[in-house]
Amino acid sequence: MSTLAWFALGSLAVWAWLLLGQGFFWRTDQRLPPVPRGGPDRWPRVVVVVPARDEAGVLPLSLPSLLAQDYPGVAEVILVDDGSTDGTGKLAVGLAGRYGGLPLTVVSPGEPEAGWTGKLWALRHGMALARAREPEFLLLTDADIAHEPDSLRLLVAAATANGLDLVSQMARLRVASFWERLVVPAFVYFFAQLYPFRWINRRRPLATAAAGGCVLLRTETAVAAAVPEVIRQAVIDDVSLARAVRRAGGRIWLGLAERVDSVRPYPGLGELWRMVARSAYAQLRHSPLLLVGTVAGLAVVYLVPPVALVAGVAGGDAVAAWAGGVAWAVMAGTYGPMLRYYRQPLWLAPLLPFTAFLYLLMTVDSAVRHHRGRGAAWKGRTYARPEATSER
């Protein structure tokens, strides 16, 4: 057999494993776990903590949804203005005055101390202030996340009914522009492939992760896990938070959201590119060896099948064409459920190899940025790798 045929067969074998042996990552039925009718007997006190930096563009679409939560217990919102220059804090106060609803407190912690990323510095300040209210749960949610009126109630009911210490939902990201349709569903698909939700939600978990846009966290578990202090340098803060909670013995659940949506627009490829590139190399622990392995893996798994099909047909290599075609079909089939979840046409599924190639380039660019000293840049701040950051 030809070298191309061997590569195609190798790719097909990988896809057979991914289809059946990677926690059925491609299924999209992991939603909030069931709760008794009527909810808990007692609704615990909750404080919502929202870190925000230069979010005036999205806050009118997200903050009113938090203030309007239909929650049977006592709840309030703390927005931590992380050095915004666009009037985020003032706008938040104005929105609270206009819409009413849950009580809102706006605070600003000043610039982060050495060894802290901006978001976690803001969360530290907000969580400390929240704990003074003695809530049983904290809802950590990003400033670009909009919640349906029953979102908080459903999260708390799921946590209390199932004895969970951390309940996280991956907000449905905005999909409106061409590039969003091409890139965004694949972003969640790749995340689920790396962290299969079923593995995370097992009694004896095989993986650990969370989605930082929407995290309901039991306060006593946060204290036991020493968060956010123990993860203060993390760029990928959600996964680091979940691991800290798991180390403290907490039970975690992660799934896809139906009542929680991101309102942040990524209309062009440039915005999406920066979103992925800012943390891709951090995900690889800034390791050149892992970078090489990731690039090779993406090429074999996602790029070889279409290349083998086309080259095999053109060159009369039946084995390469057959193996490449079947692998490509399996790939597209596993992507279909995510496209349906995002209400996108299934003809986008065969384009997944092209999207994967874009992610490959974004990952390489992330490494290049890091080695040029631009690292994980976000909203005017650049974060060094944790080893290079001074400890407090």
Side-chain angles (χ1 to χ4, degrees):
M1 288 192 301
S2 67
T3 301
L4 182 60
W6 280 113
F7 272 107
L9 288 170
S11 181
L12 179 58
V14 172
W15 275 109
W17 162 254
L18 290 173
L19 178 66
L20 301 174
Q22 190 67 6
F24 295 102
F25 77 94
W26 43 272
R27 294 182 58 173
T28 56
D29 55 355
Q30 291 292 290
R31 310 297 170 88
L32 281 175
V35 300
R37 185 172 300 219
D41 296 331
R42 178 186 62 84
W43 289 94
R45 187 185 189 105
V46 181
V47 176
V48 182
V49 180
V50 185
R53 177 173 170 82
D54 293 334
E55 298 287 11
V58 297
L59 215 58
L61 302 174
S62 60
L63 184 58
S65 74
L66 282 173
L67 301 176
Q69 285 301 297
D70 178 19
Y71 184 66
V74 177
E76 62 179 292
V77 180
I78 296 176
L79 185 138
V80 186
D81 184 3
D82 180 23
S84 300
T85 59
D86 65 352
T88 289
K90 184 178 179 180
L91 174 61
V93 173
L95 290 169
R98 185 187 316 165
Y99 290 97
L102 298 184
L104 173 71
T105 301
V106 177
V107 295
S108 180
E111 283 299 303
E113 293 181 3
W116 285 83
T117 62
K119 178 181 176 180
L120 290 172
W121 175 252
L123 281 177
R124 175 190 184 233
H125 194 79
M127 290 171 69
L129 189 61
R131 282 197 292 267
R133 274 81 159 166
E134 299 184 345
E136 189 171 332
F137 286 97
L138 302 166
L139 175 61
L140 313 179
T141 185
D142 289 346
D144 64 332
I145 302 299
H147 294 252
E148 292 294 327
D150 58 356
S151 171
L152 179 58
R153 177 159 43 89
L154 293 172
L155 285 165
V156 172
T160 54
N162 296 276
L164 299 169
D165 298 284
L166 186 154
V167 179
S168 182
Q169 290 184 291
M170 180 161 283
R172 202 190 306 256
L173 305 177
R174 197 191 90 139
V175 176
S177 70
F178 168 77
W179 289 109
E180 286 171 335
R181 290 187 174 94
L182 191 67
V183 174
V184 166
F187 177 82
V188 183
Y189 172 88
F190 293 142
F191 183 92
Q193 189 178 84
L194 190 61
Y195 302 105
F197 297 164
R198 276 179 172 73
W199 285 3
I200 294 168
N201 299 337
R202 286 165 47 112
R203 283 279 181 180
R204 295 184 178 180
L206 300 176
T208 302
C214 178
V215 175
L216 184 75
L217 177 62
R218 198 178 294 270
T219 305
E220 65 178 359
T221 304
V223 173
V227 294
E229 287 80 6
V230 74
I231 59 169
R232 62 188 179 274
Q233 301 180 66
V235 174
I236 306 175
D237 54 87
D238 44 12
V239 175
S240 299
L241 170 63
R243 288 172 177 167
V245 169
R246 189 82 83 190
R247 285 195 299 270
R251 283 197 60 208
I252 291 173
W253 185 93
L254 171 64
L256 295 172
E258 292 182 314
R259 314 288 288 167
V260 181
D261 297 277
S262 173
V263 296
R264 188 181 303 283
Y266 293 99
L269 180 59
E271 293 91 345
L272 289 162
W273 191 290
R274 285 188 291 273
M275 177 192 73
V276 175
R278 72 184 177 91
S279 60
Y281 197 43
Q283 179 70 54
L284 300 177
R285 293 176 288 184
H286 304 97
S287 168
L289 186 61
L290 286 177
L291 175 65
V292 172
T294 299
V295 169
L298 285 171
V300 170
V301 175
Y302 289 98
L303 304 186
V304 164
V307 170
L309 174 60
V310 173
V313 170
D317 189 335
V319 175
W322 171 83
V326 173
W328 196 0
V330 173
M331 182 196 314
T334 62
Y335 191 36
M338 189 62 69
L339 289 173
R340 284 195 294 270
Y341 169 72
Y342 271 96
R343 306 182 185 99
Q344 297 304 304
L346 292 181
W347 62 260
L348 288 169
L351 300 182
L352 187 58
F354 175 71
T355 305
F357 179 63
L358 290 178
Y359 274 90
L360 185 156
L361 296 178
M362 294 172 191
T363 303
V364 172
D365 183 50
S366 179
V368 171
R369 290 170 186 243
H370 171 79
H371 289 292
R372 287 181 176 176
R374 287 183 285 156
W378 185 246
K379 295 194 175 181
R381 291 179 179 144
T382 301
Y383 303 109
R385 61 186 298 177
E387 298 92 319
T389 309
S390 60
E391 294 286 335
R392 291 170 64 249

